[in-house]
Amino acid sequence: MAETVTVEMVAHEARVSTATVSRIINGSGKVSARRRKQVMDAIEKLGYRPNLLAQSLARGQSMNVGVLTQDMASPFFGQMHQGIEQGFQGSGYHPIFVSEEWQDDKQHAALEVLLSRRVDALIVLGGYIEDDVLLELSGQLPLVTVGREVKGLEGSLSLDNEQGGYLATRHLLDLGHRQIACLAGPDTHYDAVDRMAGYLRAFQESDVPLQRDLVIDALFSEEGGVRATERLLKSGKHFTAVFACNDQSAIGAQLALQRHGKRIPQDVSVVGFDDLPSSAFVYPPLTTVRQSAKLLGQAAAAAVICKLEGKTFAPSRLELKLMVRESTGPVSHMPTHTSIPQQVEQQVAGSSRPRKVRLRMG
């Protein structure tokens, strides 16, 4: 078995005291550049690896950050998790992910699991935990929320989901569509509710009557998108376009439409939300609202590190873009002289705080 390299061995090799080695390893106290180089050269030569557990106990920190997430299997959350991991690289902190698969009756149990690990900070990705619970926790340890805003909590990161839902629906209305189905997400999710609010606002501003029987829950999943679209088709309800509140349900909708002999976009146009990597490679490539889950994750990690270091973090809303691809086109009966937007990318302008709406779904 290889000999364990100790701090004393590093100090002897570098010809400095063990206290100097400890200060350099822990980043505490001032050390001259010459001595720092001596110690770092000795560490590299001997292959010294710090005892992270001992270090964390000495600091009174676990060096772990709890991440309460929604769905480990989701491609969107997978990208966000990757961004969080990248954001913590080189910081000494490590994320611990716990998921409750969108089951609100178990959400607090997941929170208890993280708190029992004595994490130094928390990142909450969406979820249902009450605002007052999060505010109470924020008084005990640094806390950052992603995808929702909590009044009185500094460090909340969000996207303008309401404006994104509006832009997606407005795109379809501009193409001449009037019967636009909406595949909604769970109404307990902030982003799903906000995207629905954008869908409703687009109809209100265009003075186009909203057909509430074309709004149906698709559960933010491919399977949910298939089932919701099949229900619409079997009901005999007429629609020429679909706005799906995430790409997974949009991809499911495209599959169901094609199985029933519908051409996309000649018979039915489809718009999603998220711009997952796979969205550009389904057939036809999906028109969608782009948001960067990876950048959101990186921003969440940066916010937590700032809070842990006692620094001020000023969050800014990340940019959304409408990515127009082959899954959308003019309604079949639309006059040929009607102007069709040709812009491939359209930046979303800022808007007021999304309105929380509830709409009973079919």
Side-chain angles (χ1 to χ4, degrees):
M1 181 180 292
E3 181 182 10
T4 300
V5 180
T6 65
V7 170
E8 289 76 11
M9 295 168 66
V10 173
H12 182 268
E13 177 68 27
R15 298 181 180 180
V16 298
S17 68
T18 56
T20 298
V21 175
S22 295
R23 284 199 298 272
I24 291 172
I25 291 172
N26 296 326
S28 58
K30 293 183 178 180
V31 180
S32 69
R34 180 177 63 83
R35 287 191 175 181
R36 182 179 298 278
K37 185 177 186 307
Q38 287 176 231
V39 171
M40 296 309 296
D41 288 346
I43 286 174
E44 184 177 356
K45 179 180 178 180
L46 299 176
Y48 173 71
R49 295 292 180 270
N51 185 327
L52 296 178
L53 177 59
Q55 284 184 338
S56 65
L57 290 173
R59 294 191 190 103
Q61 293 178 289
S62 68
M63 302 306 291
N64 293 323
V65 175
V67 182
L68 188 59
T69 186
Q70 296 297 298
D71 185 359
M72 292 291 191
S74 163
F76 176 77
F77 281 100
Q79 285 192 301
M80 195 179 296
H81 299 164
Q82 187 179 8
I84 290 172
E85 290 176 331
Q86 291 174 349
F88 282 122
Q89 284 179 1
S91 70
Y93 292 98
H94 306 278
I96 298 176
F97 297 92
V98 174
S99 169
E100 284 298 348
E101 301 291 326
W102 295 348
Q103 297 179 37
D104 56 341
D105 59 328
K106 296 182 179 179
Q107 190 87 2
H108 290 76
L111 183 59
E112 291 298 327
V113 168
L114 288 174
L115 294 176
S116 70
R117 298 291 186 93
R118 300 182 63 84
V119 294
D120 297 329
L122 276 175
I123 297 174
V124 178
L125 308 182
Y128 322 88
I129 295 181
E130 299 87 347
D131 287 0
D132 58 343
V133 174
L134 295 178
L135 283 171
E136 183 180 352
L137 280 171
S138 69
Q140 302 172 24
L141 77 174
L143 187 149
V144 170
T145 60
V146 180
R148 61 185 286 188
E149 295 181 2
V150 178
K151 189 175 181 180
L153 176 63
E154 295 182 1
S156 298
L157 299 172
S158 64
L159 294 160
D160 199 341
N161 283 289
E162 194 266 356
Q163 183 68 7
Y166 170 84
L167 187 66
T169 309
R170 183 75 254 178
H171 170 65
L172 294 171
L173 289 166
D174 288 344
L175 289 170
H177 297 280
R178 295 296 178 265
Q179 291 77 37
I180 303 173
C182 180
L183 304 190
D187 64 4
T188 48
H189 283 58
Y190 287 82
D191 49 359
V193 171
D194 289 350
R195 292 170 194 181
M196 171 67 71
Y199 168 82
L200 296 175
R201 178 162 70 90
F203 275 94
Q204 291 168 355
E205 291 188 4
S206 63
D207 291 326
V208 174
L210 173 69
Q211 295 180 235
R212 294 179 178 269
D213 57 355
L214 291 180
V215 178
I216 187 169
D217 192 353
L219 302 175
F220 267 3
S221 69
E222 293 89 344
E223 183 179 358
V226 170
R227 290 184 176 180
T229 305
E230 287 181 342
R231 285 175 60 188
L232 286 170
L233 291 168
K234 291 176 181 177
S235 71
K237 297 168 185 174
H238 178 65
F239 59 97
T240 64
V242 172
F243 165 48
C245 284
N246 77 345
D247 283 354
Q248 290 172 262
S249 53
I251 290 170
Q254 290 200 161
L255 176 60
L257 289 167
Q258 290 164 340
R259 281 177 173 173
H260 285 260
K262 301 293 184 181
R263 300 169 301 164
I264 305 170
Q266 293 89 340
D267 299 324
V268 182
S269 287
V270 180
V271 179
F273 200 117
D274 287 335
D275 196 28
L276 297 177
S278 59
S279 299
F281 301 99
V282 295
Y283 182 78
L286 182 65
T287 293
T288 183
V289 177
R290 170 181 288 178
Q291 62 171 328
S292 176
K294 190 176 293 186
L295 287 179
L296 261 180
Q298 292 171 353
V304 162
I305 292 171
C306 281
K307 287 193 171 190
L308 286 165
E309 295 178 349
K311 299 177 182 177
T312 301
F313 178 79
S316 59
R317 280 188 167 177
L318 298 181
E319 184 179 281
L320 295 177
K321 292 180 179 179
L322 177 67
M323 308 301 295
V324 179
R325 301 192 179 109
E326 290 94 318
S327 70
T328 54
V331 69
S332 58
H333 58 73
M334 188 174 184
T336 57
H337 65 272
T338 303
S339 175
I340 303 300
Q342 297 298 318
Q343 187 175 359
V344 175
E345 294 187 354
Q346 181 173 347
Q347 182 172 341
V348 179
S351 72
S352 59
R353 173 75 184 118
R355 301 180 295 275
K356 292 293 183 291
V357 297
R358 298 261 177 163
L359 180 65
R360 190 167 60 85
M361 302 170 192

